[in-house]
Amino acid sequence: MAATRLIALHATKGRTLAKCLKERTDYAMNPDKTEEGSLVTAYACNPRTVNEDFLLSKRDYEVANGKEKGDVIAYQIRQSFKPGEITPEEANRIGYETAMRFTKGNHAFIVATHTDRNHIHNHVIFNSTTLKGDRKFTNFSYSGIALGRLSNLICMENGLSVIAPQPYHSKTTYIHAERGPTFRDGIREAIDTALSKKPGSFDELLLKLSEQGYEIKRGKHTSVRGNGQTRFIRFRSLGDGYSEKELHEKLEGVARGAEERKDTSPKEKAKPFYREDGFDLLLNMQEVIAKGKGPGYELWAKKYNVKNVMKALLFFQEQGLRTYNELEKRAGDTSDRFSELSDEIKGYEKRLKEISELKSKIIDYSKTKDIYQQYRQSGYSRQFFAEHKEEIMTHKAAKDSFNRHKGKLPSVKELSDEYGKVLAKKKAAYSEYKEVRKNMQTYQTAKYDIDKILGIEKTPDQNRTREQTR
């Protein structure tokens, strides 16, 4: 079972976009929560520089469409699993699959699996801007419900339990489920345990609850209180199937079914009749699938595999691939080259910024040189300083930056020439970067589909080797 929640991450006022992204991703990848980072995987980005990788796509968007509207910088998927039902490695794999299918491979993301609580949970952060930088993620109406259904489907495919459908505004929806079991959850579980012992009446049911450590308060509305509770909880507040009236009807059904069987032949006397009106067909199907799959599931799987096998064969033919190892190598090579180009572009951008700043300081120095010379000739007059404070301070700042500069100070012409050369290199690298990013996305998506078809399951460490450069 996995409870999910989709959260829009907003830019914080007074902080840069890079700072905001770094704060979000650093929390998700906290080594103390992810077993020293071994439970962190990524798609189309490097966990070490994920915030900078996200920014590159945002710059593409800004060039094509102008400045981004709104302050949503990324989205977070929280996916929490039932305690004891899944391993951290399996949870990370399912989180990766959920993110891939929810974003359709169009957004870079990281998956960080936290093990610091009694329930294993994933923090998936995906960029609000697409990899191509041409559009942003559309947070459509009821997208949280769509995410929950997708998570349920993936849990079913992996033999895990699922969450029963609930009204969107119910207190037991995906949003609240990750907080862990509540007192009401414990009471409902205790009632189910008591009912499994087939009590003959409501009073007998209450007796069995008392045996489990619950205190009973009778009155107009019967209520119970367990260990740790400060207040009594009424049966009618426990939800469908647990009110006094519904429990009375349920117990009467058991008694009536047993009475009817007394009139039948001895061979037909078996267990008392019991019918659960809130029976969940989805959960029952999940139980069947987990035990032995079943013919219906096999038929669906065959149809699913036929379509994807055809897609895979066509992809192999178009790319001239013959073996799985060739596909794996090509996917790894494009991922490595993507990381190299990303580092190169960041280096070029850093140098361009340095050149611009140094060039600006030289120009400032030249413009304020005469004023500063007059200031010195005035014997550093306070009145002169007050009249020309801005020019004097600008001149001093320029001189300080020159003192920190190593080697001979270049001329403005030399800096302009270097700026042009570095800019040309950046444009060339960026052109290749976009092509490699597209190829990386194609190969990783194809490999993901083929791994599903062949039943190949990679550990987080293997995924990380394939998808990123450490």
Side-chain angles (χ1 to χ4, degrees):
M1 179 184 78
T4 57
R5 182 180 180 185
L6 180 64
I7 306 168
L9 303 179
H10 298 265
T12 305
K13 189 174 181 179
R15 283 190 171 90
T16 63
L17 187 58
K19 180 71 173 176
C20 292
L21 286 170
K22 190 173 188 305
E23 287 175 350
R24 272 38 168 224
T25 55
D26 282 355
Y27 174 80
M29 297 187 294
N30 187 337
D32 295 334
K33 299 174 183 285
T34 58
E35 297 184 5
E36 300 302 323
S38 64
L39 296 174
V40 176
T41 51
Y43 169 73
C45 62
N46 188 320
R48 289 183 303 169
T49 57
V50 58
N51 55 313
E52 296 171 350
D53 293 336
F54 280 16
L55 283 174
L56 285 172
S57 294
K58 294 184 182 298
R59 287 172 191 156
D60 288 347
Y61 181 91
E62 192 170 334
V63 169
N65 305 286
K67 193 172 182 179
E68 289 189 18
K69 295 181 179 179
D71 60 348
V72 178
I73 57 176
Y75 289 87
Q76 180 178 180
I77 297 173
R78 288 188 190 171
Q79 187 178 40
S80 303
F81 298 91
K82 186 178 180 180
E85 190 177 49
I86 195 170
T87 64
E89 293 74 20
E90 184 72 5
N92 188 274
R93 185 184 66 79
I94 289 177
Y96 185 95
E97 184 172 352
T98 302
M100 177 67 79
R101 288 165 67 168
F102 188 68
T103 64
K104 296 180 173 59
N106 293 324
H107 298 258
F109 61 79
I110 58 167
V111 183
T113 303
H114 288 195
T115 58
D116 58 322
R117 298 193 179 182
N118 60 348
H119 64 284
I120 295 171
H121 57 285
N122 289 326
H123 286 255
V124 180
I125 298 180
F126 65 89
N127 195 359
S128 59
T129 311
T130 60
L131 286 169
K132 295 179 181 179
D134 57 345
R135 59 186 178 84
K136 298 187 71 178
F137 176 79
T138 303
N139 192 7
F140 53 89
S141 298
Y142 301 115
S143 55
I145 288 182
L147 173 63
R149 287 174 178 169
L150 173 63
S151 179
N152 269 349
L153 178 61
I154 294 172
C155 285
M156 288 181 68
E157 292 172 358
N158 287 274
L160 302 175
S161 60
V162 299
I163 297 176
Q166 297 285 344
Y168 184 66
H169 293 291
S170 168
K171 291 183 179 179
T172 54
T173 55
Y174 304 104
I175 290 177
H176 298 278
E178 83 164 54
R179 296 177 182 172
T182 63
F183 287 128
R184 284 180 172 78
D185 292 331
I187 294 171
R188 284 190 285 265
E189 186 176 344
I191 291 173
D192 291 339
T193 301
L195 287 172
S196 68
K197 297 178 182 178
K198 304 176 184 63
S201 65
F202 186 69
D203 288 337
E204 192 174 338
L205 172 66
L206 295 180
L207 179 62
K208 294 189 180 299
L209 286 176
S210 298
E211 292 173 356
Q212 295 184 54
Y214 283 91
E215 183 182 351
I216 311 298
K217 185 171 77 172
R218 306 299 288 264
K220 183 179 180 181
H221 301 289
T222 306
S223 55
V224 295
R225 181 169 67 183
N227 293 332
Q229 289 180 226
T230 57
R231 308 171 79 175
F232 282 88
I233 294 177
R234 294 175 179 177
F235 278 92
R236 69 175 187 173
S237 70
L238 295 175
D240 293 341
Y242 293 96
S243 67
E244 285 185 68
K245 181 181 178 182
E246 290 170 312
L247 288 172
H248 274 293
E249 291 173 353
K250 193 175 292 186
L251 292 167
E252 287 172 7
V254 174
R256 186 167 57 253
E259 190 66 30
E260 289 173 357
R261 282 168 176 73
K262 289 181 181 178
D263 300 329
T264 60
S265 62
K267 290 183 179 180
E268 294 178 347
K269 288 183 180 180
K271 296 180 180 179
F273 173 77
Y274 181 84
R275 182 170 67 90
E276 172 60 72
D277 291 333
F279 179 77
D280 191 330
L281 179 62
L282 180 64
L283 293 176
N284 184 257
M285 288 176 61
Q286 170 61 24
E287 187 178 337
V288 172
I289 291 171
K291 288 180 179 177
K293 301 299 182 185
Y297 178 88
E298 291 177 5
L299 179 62
W300 170 82
K302 286 177 182 177
K303 290 181 179 179
Y304 174 85
N305 285 341
V306 165
K307 290 191 295 183
N308 284 275
V309 165
M310 293 302 103
K311 283 169 57 181
L313 289 176
L314 181 61
F315 177 80
F316 264 59
Q317 186 178 27
E318 291 174 346
Q319 301 298 323
L321 299 171
R322 298 300 300 270
T323 66
Y324 179 85
N325 288 339
E326 289 177 1
L327 173 63
E328 189 171 40
K329 183 178 185 304
R330 207 170 288 187
D333 289 345
T334 55
S335 179
D336 292 342
R337 183 56 182 158
F338 175 81
S339 295
E340 290 173 5
L341 287 169
S342 178
D343 291 339
E344 282 183 23
I345 291 171
K346 289 164 192 170
Y348 292 143
E349 288 181 342
K350 180 181 178 182
R351 182 55 188 158
L352 289 172
K353 183 179 178 182
E354 291 172 350
I355 293 172
S356 296
E357 289 177 352
L358 184 56
K359 186 177 176 181
S360 176
K361 294 297 183 185
I362 293 174
I363 294 173
D364 288 344
Y365 181 88
S366 178
K367 286 181 178 180
T368 57
K369 184 177 179 181
D370 292 340
I371 293 292
Y372 192 79
Q373 187 67 26
Q374 293 173 30
Y375 174 56
R376 291 182 61 186
Q377 291 173 356
S378 70
Y380 301 102
S381 167
R382 290 186 179 182
Q383 183 179 353
F384 190 90
F385 178 83
E387 293 173 354
H388 304 279
K389 180 179 178 181
E390 186 177 348
E391 293 92 335
I392 293 170
M393 294 305 296
T394 300
H395 190 83
K396 284 185 174 182
K399 287 184 66 177
D400 289 341
S401 67
F402 297 160
N403 292 333
R404 293 192 298 270
H405 182 78
K406 295 180 180 179
K408 183 182 177 182
L409 192 67
S411 65
V412 172
K413 184 180 183 306
E414 290 173 336
L415 288 174
S416 297
D417 291 342
E418 184 184 359
Y419 189 93
K421 291 177 183 178
V422 175
L423 183 61
K425 290 180 181 178
K426 180 197 168 184
K427 288 181 178 179
Y430 194 67
S431 178
E432 184 184 357
Y433 169 87
K434 290 195 288 187
E435 185 66 27
V436 170
R437 181 176 63 185
K438 180 181 176 182
N439 292 337
M440 178 186 68
Q441 183 181 2
T442 301
Y443 283 116
Q444 287 189 350
T445 302
K447 189 174 183 303
Y448 171 81
D449 289 338
I450 291 170
D451 285 348
K452 288 283 292 179
I453 293 167
L454 300 178
I456 297 173
E457 294 184 1
K458 299 288 186 181
T459 64
D461 286 339
Q462 290 171 309
N463 278 329
R464 191 157 43 250
T465 300
R466 180 183 75 239
E467 294 150 5
Q468 67 198 38
T469 303
R470 276 288 186 185

